[in-house]
Amino acid sequence: MGTLLLASTGVYLHTTLRGKLRIWKQELDRIGLKGDEHLLDLGCGRGAVLVEAARRVPAGRADGVDLWSRKDQSGNGPAVTLANAAAAGVADRVEVHTGDMTSLPFEDGTFDIVTSAMAIHNIPSREGRHRAVDEAVRVLRPGGQLLIADPWWIARQYADHLGQGTLRPLGAGYWYGGPWLGITLLHVVKEPRPEGTEPC
Ligand SMILES: C[S@@+](CC[C@H](N)C(=O)[O-])C[C@H]1O[C@@H](n2cnc3c(N)ncnc32)[C@H](O)[C@@H]1O
């Protein structure tokens, strides 16, 4: 039992200190960014994913939105995130907003890419989580891409709710202690507008 607990703690620490960042780097590289995209990270926290995304859009913008809950992430706060962006040399293209993922303060179709890492599952009700996923799709431009990493059974609920997207387990590097708390990526490409139609 002691060995299992020790191994589980080691896996957890590896995920939080290295694994999740390595995996997000791979996922951001995989989506083929040109470098001028406008990106939004939902529940950006201290900016682990936001900063990595910002590195890949030198001619674009990377916005983060968060309620800055210190229960969900220690040392959380907009000043910390901006300091992390500055330390990485990407402060010129990063902006943070205080807002709720279930009611985003952005117009429809604003972003080329929307990401969210281990954040939407923190919304306590299933209805609230589904509202956040709907908001993520709403603020994406047609043809834009949505990437959400959350515990596998919750990511599956998002895909069922949206009725679209592909699900892929992110592997042992993103296990919070073991495979029972593995993280799955939901990838959605928003339907392009039918030819000849304009937004209302
Ligand atoms: C576990 S942290 C993950 C932070 C970051 N994405 C990462 O991977 O390091 C979850 C984040 O979601 C934020 N959050 C939770 N509910 C939220 C909501 N309804 N609207 C905006 N942010 C929220 C928390 O404040 C916290 O920063």
Side-chain angles (χ1 to χ4, degrees):
M1 194 63 189
T3 312
L4 188 66
L5 207 62
L6 207 63
S8 179
T9 306
V11 170
Y12 180 93
L13 286 175
H14 176 263
T15 291
T16 53
L17 299 176
R18 300 178 71 127
K20 77 170 188 184
L21 202 57
R22 179 178 55 77
I23 286 169
W24 268 102
K25 286 179 184 181
Q26 286 169 357
E27 295 305 325
L28 290 167
D29 288 342
R30 191 194 286 264
I31 58 174
L33 295 168
K34 295 197 309 289
D36 62 353
E37 287 85 355
H38 192 182
L39 185 143
L40 174 68
D41 187 35
L42 299 175
C44 62
R46 294 192 310 252
V49 173
L50 180 65
V51 166
E52 270 318 309
R55 288 187 208 275
R56 288 160 176 76
V57 290
R61 300 212 51 77
D63 287 20
V65 67
D66 206 297
L67 284 176
W68 317 112
S69 155
R70 296 205 169 170
K71 178 172 68 68
D72 293 342
Q73 187 162 73
S74 61
N76 214 351
V80 178
T81 311
L82 291 174
N84 287 338
V90 295
D92 59 329
R93 69 204 79 142
V94 167
E95 199 173 330
V96 292
H97 309 262
T98 299
D100 190 327
M101 291 185 276
T102 63
S103 176
L104 291 172
F106 306 109
E107 299 283 317
D108 296 1
T110 303
F111 298 96
D112 302 297
I113 309 286
V114 176
T115 57
S116 184
M118 290 300 287
I120 299 176
H121 79 276
N122 285 299
I123 298 170
S125 72
R126 185 188 289 219
E127 191 241 325
R129 293 191 292 275
H130 288 176
R131 221 175 319 130
V133 171
D134 288 339
E135 279 291 87
V137 174
R138 178 183 68 76
V139 300
L140 258 188
R141 69 160 172 78
Q145 301 186 65
L146 170 63
L147 292 96
I148 301 175
D150 253 335
W152 60 268
W153 67 95
I154 302 184
R156 193 175 292 172
Q157 290 170 6
Y158 305 155
D160 287 346
H161 171 71
L162 290 174
Q164 59 175 324
T166 57
L167 291 163
R168 181 160 44 82
L170 291 173
Y174 221 143
W175 286 353
Y176 282 89
W180 50 88
L181 227 176
I183 304 306
T184 283
L185 184 81
L186 170 66
H187 181 212
V188 175
V189 180
K190 184 169 174 176
E191 293 270 304
R193 242 181 253 120
E195 247 173 74
T197 60
E198 288 297 320
C200 310

